[in-house]
Amino acid sequence: MNRPIGVIDSGVGGLTVAKEMMRQLPKETIYYVGDTARCPYGPRLPGEVRKFTWEMTRFLERYDMKMLVIACNTATAVVLDEIKREMPIPVVGVIQPGARAAIKQTKNRHIAVLGTIGTVKSGAYEKAIKATDSSIDIYPIACPDFVPLVESGEYRSPRAKQIVSRTLEPLKKTPVDTVILGCTHYPLLEPIIADYMGADASVISSGDETARGVSAILEFNEMLSENERPEHRFFTTGSTNSFYSIASDWLGDLDLNIKKIQLA
Ligand code: DGL
């Protein structure tokens, strides 16, 4: 089934998930929406996140997508269950896969969750992890400065290093051996985060496990694509130039089809 898979995020963060999907499922076509003009979602009220996420979903509906990936933790925490119930196609989020990957990884059962204010407040990772193993200790840290760093393309800068060390300092006094990047923007800061946490801590992003989940659902439902040359499309509500510079850097592809859209 060669219909596209929709991938949505508040900005460029979901590209970290899309990249894994392109790697694991190279025949699938991805239609990506990044609501860059209204990013970040993290500090917004749940009602607003819900409305914006539905707008991205409705936008992609016109392209007859066969599946939707909510590649944003903040949106997953607020509205995944509702969109899943109401859409006639499979819909997946990124929190369950991230939690699953961390549970597999931890040896001492002390897991840190880095996320936006919204994701941390929602307690969604705690719920997902404790539902599987209630003996795990969780250390949530809100990192409100990380998303603006990524969206402005400063994710390799000395300033990024400073902000990461300042934000993660409280973790140095804990026994955590596993750190979940509970926001899809954070994998762009992964080298700096991993360096700060040191070799004893594993850093987990949800992209890999999410892509595996997508693959399993498509296979189970006999919906896999056979297209040898999928043509991905990217839609942003913000500047196509800034989107292009981050997307081409991250995906290693200079020939991207990016279009500016309005959602509201
Ligand atoms: N990439 C998003 C997430 O995973 C959104 C961050 C934001 O817009 O604040 O939570």
Side-chain angles (χ1 to χ4, degrees), residues 112-143:
V113 178
L114 316 186
T116 65
I117 296 175
T119 300
V120 166
K121 260 197 195 156
S122 75
Y125 271 99
E126 280 89 332
K127 266 176 244 153
I129 293 169
K130 296 272 187 194
T132 303
D133 184 344
S134 57
S135 74
I136 290 179
D137 282 319
I138 298 158
Y139 305 79
I141 305 243
C143 313

PDB file of all heavy atoms in Angstrom, residues 112-143:
ATOM      1  N   ALA A 112      16.236   8.647  34.125  1.00  0.00           N
ATOM      2  CA  ALA A 112      15.911  10.077  34.038  1.00  0.00           C
ATOM      3  C   ALA A 112      15.062  10.312  32.793  1.00  0.00           C
ATOM      4  O   ALA A 112      15.279   9.672  31.761  1.00  0.00           O
ATOM      5  CB  ALA A 112      17.181  10.903  33.953  1.00  0.00           C
ATOM      6  N   VAL A 113      14.089  11.216  32.911  1.00  0.00           N
ATOM      7  CA  VAL A 113      13.276  11.589  31.751  1.00  0.00           C
ATOM      8  C   VAL A 113      13.448  13.084  31.500  1.00  0.00           C
ATOM      9  O   VAL A 113      13.098  13.905  32.329  1.00  0.00           O
ATOM     10  CB  VAL A 113      11.771  11.310  32.001  1.00  0.00           C
ATOM     11  CG1 VAL A 113      10.953  11.762  30.799  1.00  0.00           C
ATOM     12  CG2 VAL A 113      11.527   9.838  32.295  1.00  0.00           C
ATOM     13  N   LEU A 114      14.059  13.425  30.363  1.00  0.00           N
ATOM     14  CA  LEU A 114      14.187  14.825  29.986  1.00  0.00           C
ATOM     15  C   LEU A 114      13.033  15.158  29.054  1.00  0.00           C
ATOM     16  O   LEU A 114      12.766  14.402  28.113  1.00  0.00           O
ATOM     17  CB  LEU A 114      15.512  15.078  29.246  1.00  0.00           C
ATOM     18  CG  LEU A 114      16.785  14.445  29.810  1.00  0.00           C
ATOM     19  CD1 LEU A 114      18.000  14.926  29.016  1.00  0.00           C
ATOM     20  CD2 LEU A 114      16.938  14.767  31.289  1.00  0.00           C
ATOM     21  N   GLY A 115      12.329  16.255  29.318  1.00  0.00           N
ATOM     22  CA  GLY A 115      11.198  16.579  28.458  1.00  0.00           C
ATOM     23  C   GLY A 115      10.820  18.039  28.545  1.00  0.00           C
ATOM     24  O   GLY A 115      11.440  18.821  29.274  1.00  0.00           O
ATOM     25  N   THR A 116       9.787  18.404  27.798  1.00  0.00           N
ATOM     26  CA  THR A 116       9.287  19.777  27.867  1.00  0.00           C
ATOM     27  C   THR A 116       8.498  19.917  29.175  1.00  0.00           C
ATOM     28  O   THR A 116       8.179  18.916  29.839  1.00  0.00           O
ATOM     29  CB  THR A 116       8.342  20.077  26.688  1.00  0.00           C
ATOM     30  OG1 THR A 116       7.175  19.257  26.817  1.00  0.00           O
ATOM     31  CG2 THR A 116       9.018  19.798  25.355  1.00  0.00           C
ATOM     32  N   ILE A 117       8.146  21.159  29.494  1.00  0.00           N
ATOM     33  CA  ILE A 117       7.353  21.389  30.702  1.00  0.00           C
ATOM     34  C   ILE A 117       6.051  20.583  30.633  1.00  0.00           C
ATOM     35  O   ILE A 117       5.647  19.929  31.585  1.00  0.00           O
ATOM     36  CB  ILE A 117       7.049  22.905  30.863  1.00  0.00           C
ATOM     37  CG1 ILE A 117       8.371  23.663  31.076  1.00  0.00           C
ATOM     38  CG2 ILE A 117       6.071  23.168  31.996  1.00  0.00           C
ATOM     39  CD1 ILE A 117       8.221  25.170  31.118  1.00  0.00           C
ATOM     40  N   GLY A 118       5.417  20.609  29.460  1.00  0.00           N
ATOM     41  CA  GLY A 118       4.144  19.907  29.281  1.00  0.00           C
ATOM     42  C   GLY A 118       4.276  18.408  29.498  1.00  0.00           C
ATOM     43  O   GLY A 118       3.462  17.788  30.195  1.00  0.00           O
ATOM     44  N   THR A 119       5.317  17.822  28.907  1.00  0.00           N
ATOM     45  CA  THR A 119       5.499  16.369  29.021  1.00  0.00           C
ATOM     46  C   THR A 119       5.811  15.985  30.467  1.00  0.00           C
ATOM     47  O   THR A 119       5.248  15.023  31.005  1.00  0.00           O
ATOM     48  CB  THR A 119       6.644  15.912  28.091  1.00  0.00           C
ATOM     49  OG1 THR A 119       6.299  16.255  26.757  1.00  0.00           O
ATOM     50  CG2 THR A 119       6.876  14.411  28.181  1.00  0.00           C
ATOM     51  N   VAL A 120       6.683  16.748  31.113  1.00  0.00           N
ATOM     52  CA  VAL A 120       7.040  16.431  32.499  1.00  0.00           C
ATOM     53  C   VAL A 120       5.810  16.572  33.401  1.00  0.00           C
ATOM     54  O   VAL A 120       5.513  15.693  34.211  1.00  0.00           O
ATOM     55  CB  VAL A 120       8.220  17.317  32.973  1.00  0.00           C
ATOM     56  CG1 VAL A 120       8.391  17.260  34.478  1.00  0.00           C
ATOM     57  CG2 VAL A 120       9.512  16.899  32.264  1.00  0.00           C
ATOM     58  N   LYS A 121       5.061  17.661  33.225  1.00  0.00           N
ATOM     59  CA  LYS A 121       3.848  17.876  34.036  1.00  0.00           C
ATOM     60  C   LYS A 121       2.825  16.763  33.857  1.00  0.00           C
ATOM     61  O   LYS A 121       2.115  16.397  34.776  1.00  0.00           O
ATOM     62  CB  LYS A 121       3.185  19.196  33.616  1.00  0.00           C
ATOM     63  CG  LYS A 121       3.483  20.355  34.523  1.00  0.00           C
ATOM     64  CD  LYS A 121       2.445  21.431  34.240  1.00  0.00           C
ATOM     65  CE  LYS A 121       2.872  22.757  34.841  1.00  0.00           C
ATOM     66  NZ  LYS A 121       2.236  23.890  34.151  1.00  0.00           N
ATOM     67  N   SER A 122       2.740  16.233  32.637  1.00  0.00           N
ATOM     68  CA  SER A 122       1.720  15.215  32.355  1.00  0.00           C
ATOM     69  C   SER A 122       1.990  13.899  33.089  1.00  0.00           C
ATOM     70  O   SER A 122       1.079  13.111  33.310  1.00  0.00           O
ATOM     71  CB  SER A 122       1.666  14.933  30.848  1.00  0.00           C
ATOM     72  OG  SER A 122       2.784  14.138  30.462  1.00  0.00           O
ATOM     73  N   GLY A 123       3.228  13.660  33.448  1.00  0.00           N
ATOM     74  CA  GLY A 123       3.572  12.409  34.121  1.00  0.00           C
ATOM     75  C   GLY A 123       3.422  11.191  33.208  1.00  0.00           C
ATOM     76  O   GLY A 123       3.357  10.048  33.678  1.00  0.00           O
ATOM     77  N   ALA A 124       3.354  11.430  31.890  1.00  0.00           N
ATOM     78  CA  ALA A 124       3.066  10.328  30.959  1.00  0.00           C
ATOM     79  C   ALA A 124       4.166   9.258  30.957  1.00  0.00           C
ATOM     80  O   ALA A 124       3.865   8.065  30.831  1.00  0.00           O
ATOM     81  CB  ALA A 124       2.869  10.882  29.550  1.00  0.00           C
ATOM     82  N   TYR A 125       5.426   9.668  31.065  1.00  0.00           N
ATOM     83  CA  TYR A 125       6.495   8.652  31.090  1.00  0.00           C
ATOM     84  C   TYR A 125       6.437   7.814  32.367  1.00  0.00           C
ATOM     85  O   TYR A 125       6.623   6.595  32.324  1.00  0.00           O
ATOM     86  CB  TYR A 125       7.881   9.313  30.948  1.00  0.00           C
ATOM     87  CG  TYR A 125       8.288   9.457  29.508  1.00  0.00           C
ATOM     88  CD1 TYR A 125       8.125  10.655  28.844  1.00  0.00           C
ATOM     89  CD2 TYR A 125       8.804   8.373  28.794  1.00  0.00           C
ATOM     90  CE1 TYR A 125       8.470  10.791  27.510  1.00  0.00           C
ATOM     91  CE2 TYR A 125       9.161   8.493  27.462  1.00  0.00           C
ATOM     92  CZ  TYR A 125       8.992   9.710  26.829  1.00  0.00           C
ATOM     93  OH  TYR A 125       9.334   9.819  25.499  1.00  0.00           O
ATOM     94  N   GLU A 126       6.196   8.498  33.503  1.00  0.00           N
ATOM     95  CA  GLU A 126       6.072   7.753  34.772  1.00  0.00           C
ATOM     96  C   GLU A 126       5.003   6.679  34.626  1.00  0.00           C
ATOM     97  O   GLU A 126       5.215   5.522  34.962  1.00  0.00           O
ATOM     98  CB  GLU A 126       5.672   8.681  35.931  1.00  0.00           C
ATOM     99  CG  GLU A 126       6.805   9.483  36.517  1.00  0.00           C
ATOM    100  CD  GLU A 126       6.981  10.821  35.802  1.00  0.00           C
ATOM    101  OE1 GLU A 126       6.636  10.926  34.603  1.00  0.00           O
ATOM    102  OE2 GLU A 126       7.483  11.762  36.441  1.00  0.00           O
ATOM    103  N   LYS A 127       3.846   7.102  34.110  1.00  0.00           N
ATOM    104  CA  LYS A 127       2.726   6.167  33.965  1.00  0.00           C
ATOM    105  C   LYS A 127       3.130   4.994  33.076  1.00  0.00           C
ATOM    106  O   LYS A 127       2.912   3.829  33.416  1.00  0.00           O
ATOM    107  CB  LYS A 127       1.505   6.880  33.360  1.00  0.00           C
ATOM    108  CG  LYS A 127       0.547   7.398  34.419  1.00  0.00           C
ATOM    109  CD  LYS A 127      -0.606   8.174  33.774  1.00  0.00           C
ATOM    110  CE  LYS A 127      -0.560   9.642  34.218  1.00  0.00           C
ATOM    111  NZ  LYS A 127      -1.137  10.606  33.279  1.00  0.00           N
ATOM    112  N   ALA A 128       3.736   5.318  31.926  1.00  0.00           N
ATOM    113  CA  ALA A 128       4.092   4.262  30.967  1.00  0.00           C
ATOM    114  C   ALA A 128       5.130   3.313  31.569  1.00  0.00           C
ATOM    115  O   ALA A 128       5.033   2.086  31.420  1.00  0.00           O
ATOM    116  CB  ALA A 128       4.627   4.890  29.685  1.00  0.00           C
ATOM    117  N   ILE A 129       6.112   3.860  32.277  1.00  0.00           N
ATOM    118  CA  ILE A 129       7.178   3.010  32.830  1.00  0.00           C
ATOM    119  C   ILE A 129       6.651   2.191  34.011  1.00  0.00           C
ATOM    120  O   ILE A 129       6.836   0.977  34.071  1.00  0.00           O
ATOM    121  CB  ILE A 129       8.397   3.866  33.261  1.00  0.00           C
ATOM    122  CG1 ILE A 129       9.067   4.485  32.030  1.00  0.00           C
ATOM    123  CG2 ILE A 129       9.396   3.036  34.067  1.00  0.00           C
ATOM    124  CD1 ILE A 129      10.113   5.543  32.326  1.00  0.00           C
ATOM    125  N   LYS A 130       5.956   2.871  34.927  1.00  0.00           N
ATOM    126  CA  LYS A 130       5.459   2.176  36.129  1.00  0.00           C
ATOM    127  C   LYS A 130       4.437   1.089  35.776  1.00  0.00           C
ATOM    128  O   LYS A 130       4.302   0.108  36.494  1.00  0.00           O
ATOM    129  CB  LYS A 130       4.824   3.167  37.106  1.00  0.00           C
ATOM    130  CG  LYS A 130       5.786   4.198  37.666  1.00  0.00           C
ATOM    131  CD  LYS A 130       6.476   3.697  38.917  1.00  0.00           C
ATOM    132  CE  LYS A 130       7.296   4.822  39.543  1.00  0.00           C
ATOM    133  NZ  LYS A 130       8.237   4.344  40.557  1.00  0.00           N
ATOM    134  N   ALA A 131       3.704   1.285  34.673  1.00  0.00           N
ATOM    135  CA  ALA A 131       2.731   0.261  34.284  1.00  0.00           C
ATOM    136  C   ALA A 131       3.438  -1.051  33.961  1.00  0.00           C
ATOM    137  O   ALA A 131       2.897  -2.143  34.157  1.00  0.00           O
ATOM    138  CB  ALA A 131       1.925   0.736  33.079  1.00  0.00           C
ATOM    139  N   THR A 132       4.679  -0.953  33.480  1.00  0.00           N
ATOM    140  CA  THR A 132       5.435  -2.166  33.161  1.00  0.00           C
ATOM    141  C   THR A 132       6.249  -2.645  34.355  1.00  0.00           C
ATOM    142  O   THR A 132       6.305  -3.834  34.645  1.00  0.00           O
ATOM    143  CB  THR A 132       6.404  -1.891  31.978  1.00  0.00           C
ATOM    144  OG1 THR A 132       5.637  -1.431  30.888  1.00  0.00           O
ATOM    145  CG2 THR A 132       7.180  -3.130  31.582  1.00  0.00           C
ATOM    146  N   ASP A 133       6.897  -1.709  35.059  1.00  0.00           N
ATOM    147  CA  ASP A 133       7.754  -2.100  36.184  1.00  0.00           C
ATOM    148  C   ASP A 133       7.689  -1.017  37.266  1.00  0.00           C
ATOM    149  O   ASP A 133       8.335   0.024  37.162  1.00  0.00           O
ATOM    150  CB  ASP A 133       9.202  -2.271  35.682  1.00  0.00           C
ATOM    151  CG  ASP A 133      10.128  -2.776  36.771  1.00  0.00           C
ATOM    152  OD1 ASP A 133       9.746  -2.714  37.967  1.00  0.00           O
ATOM    153  OD2 ASP A 133      11.235  -3.227  36.438  1.00  0.00           O
ATOM    154  N   SER A 134       6.900  -1.281  38.308  1.00  0.00           N
ATOM    155  CA  SER A 134       6.668  -0.239  39.323  1.00  0.00           C
ATOM    156  C   SER A 134       7.872  -0.044  40.240  1.00  0.00           C
ATOM    157  O   SER A 134       7.900   0.883  41.045  1.00  0.00           O
ATOM    158  CB  SER A 134       5.413  -0.575  40.134  1.00  0.00           C
ATOM    159  OG  SER A 134       5.588  -1.848  40.703  1.00  0.00           O
ATOM    160  N   SER A 135       8.893  -0.906  40.120  1.00  0.00           N
ATOM    161  CA  SER A 135      10.058  -0.760  40.998  1.00  0.00           C
ATOM    162  C   SER A 135      11.088   0.232  40.439  1.00  0.00           C
ATOM    163  O   SER A 135      12.089   0.528  41.078  1.00  0.00           O
ATOM    164  CB  SER A 135      10.717  -2.123  41.212  1.00  0.00           C
ATOM    165  OG  SER A 135      11.409  -2.498  40.037  1.00  0.00           O
ATOM    166  N   ILE A 136      10.835   0.748  39.243  1.00  0.00           N
ATOM    167  CA  ILE A 136      11.804   1.679  38.635  1.00  0.00           C
ATOM    168  C   ILE A 136      11.652   3.081  39.245  1.00  0.00           C
ATOM    169  O   ILE A 136      10.539   3.567  39.431  1.00  0.00           O
ATOM    170  CB  ILE A 136      11.610   1.727  37.095  1.00  0.00           C
ATOM    171  CG1 ILE A 136      12.055   0.396  36.493  1.00  0.00           C
ATOM    172  CG2 ILE A 136      12.373   2.897  36.463  1.00  0.00           C
ATOM    173  CD1 ILE A 136      11.894   0.276  35.002  1.00  0.00           C
ATOM    174  N   ASP A 137      12.776   3.713  39.584  1.00  0.00           N
ATOM    175  CA  ASP A 137      12.758   5.097  40.069  1.00  0.00           C
ATOM    176  C   ASP A 137      12.947   6.046  38.903  1.00  0.00           C
ATOM    177  O   ASP A 137      13.838   5.828  38.059  1.00  0.00           O
ATOM    178  CB  ASP A 137      13.887   5.318  41.091  1.00  0.00           C
ATOM    179  CG  ASP A 137      13.509   4.755  42.444  1.00  0.00           C
ATOM    180  OD1 ASP A 137      12.343   4.929  42.845  1.00  0.00           O
ATOM    181  OD2 ASP A 137      14.359   4.093  43.082  1.00  0.00           O
ATOM    182  N   ILE A 138      12.135   7.104  38.880  1.00  0.00           N
ATOM    183  CA  ILE A 138      12.169   8.022  37.738  1.00  0.00           C
ATOM    184  C   ILE A 138      12.537   9.436  38.194  1.00  0.00           C
ATOM    185  O   ILE A 138      12.052   9.909  39.218  1.00  0.00           O
ATOM    186  CB  ILE A 138      10.801   8.018  37.031  1.00  0.00           C
ATOM    187  CG1 ILE A 138      10.552   6.598  36.499  1.00  0.00           C
ATOM    188  CG2 ILE A 138      10.768   9.005  35.867  1.00  0.00           C
ATOM    189  CD1 ILE A 138       9.124   6.282  36.252  1.00  0.00           C
ATOM    190  N   TYR A 139      13.420  10.061  37.433  1.00  0.00           N
ATOM    191  CA  TYR A 139      13.897  11.408  37.750  1.00  0.00           C
ATOM    192  C   TYR A 139      13.551  12.329  36.577  1.00  0.00           C
ATOM    193  O   TYR A 139      14.299  12.397  35.602  1.00  0.00           O
ATOM    194  CB  TYR A 139      15.417  11.379  37.968  1.00  0.00           C
ATOM    195  CG  TYR A 139      15.865  10.384  39.018  1.00  0.00           C
ATOM    196  CD1 TYR A 139      15.955   9.023  38.728  1.00  0.00           C
ATOM    197  CD2 TYR A 139      16.187  10.813  40.303  1.00  0.00           C
ATOM    198  CE1 TYR A 139      16.347   8.110  39.690  1.00  0.00           C
ATOM    199  CE2 TYR A 139      16.591   9.899  41.279  1.00  0.00           C
ATOM    200  CZ  TYR A 139      16.664   8.547  40.956  1.00  0.00           C
ATOM    201  OH  TYR A 139      17.045   7.642  41.920  1.00  0.00           O
ATOM    202  N   PRO A 140      12.396  13.023  36.665  1.00  0.00           N
ATOM    203  CA  PRO A 140      12.001  13.881  35.539  1.00  0.00           C
ATOM    204  C   PRO A 140      12.699  15.243  35.594  1.00  0.00           C
ATOM    205  O   PRO A 140      12.819  15.832  36.669  1.00  0.00           O
ATOM    206  CB  PRO A 140      10.492  14.067  35.741  1.00  0.00           C
ATOM    207  CG  PRO A 140      10.218  13.685  37.156  1.00  0.00           C
ATOM    208  CD  PRO A 140      11.401  13.008  37.753  1.00  0.00           C
ATOM    209  N   ILE A 141      13.147  15.723  34.447  1.00  0.00           N
ATOM    210  CA  ILE A 141      13.754  17.058  34.387  1.00  0.00           C
ATOM    211  C   ILE A 141      13.146  17.828  33.204  1.00  0.00           C
ATOM    212  O   ILE A 141      13.228  17.373  32.059  1.00  0.00           O
ATOM    213  CB  ILE A 141      15.286  16.980  34.152  1.00  0.00           C
ATOM    214  CG1 ILE A 141      15.960  16.117  35.215  1.00  0.00           C
ATOM    215  CG2 ILE A 141      15.892  18.380  34.050  1.00  0.00           C
ATOM    216  CD1 ILE A 141      16.947  16.834  36.088  1.00  0.00           C
ATOM    217  N   ALA A 142      12.540  18.973  33.494  1.00  0.00           N
ATOM    218  CA  ALA A 142      12.022  19.820  32.404  1.00  0.00           C
ATOM    219  C   ALA A 142      13.179  20.633  31.836  1.00  0.00           C
ATOM    220  O   ALA A 142      13.976  21.190  32.580  1.00  0.00           O
ATOM    221  CB  ALA A 142      10.923  20.737  32.935  1.00  0.00           C
ATOM    222  N   CYS A 143      13.261  20.664  30.515  1.00  0.00           N
ATOM    223  CA  CYS A 143      14.390  21.349  29.852  1.00  0.00           C
ATOM    224  C   CYS A 143      13.855  22.384  28.869  1.00  0.00           C
ATOM    225  O   CYS A 143      14.005  22.233  27.647  1.00  0.00           O
ATOM    226  CB  CYS A 143      15.241  20.327  29.094  1.00  0.00           C
ATOM    227  SG  CYS A 143      15.661  18.838  30.022  1.00  0.00           S
TER     228      CYS A 143
END
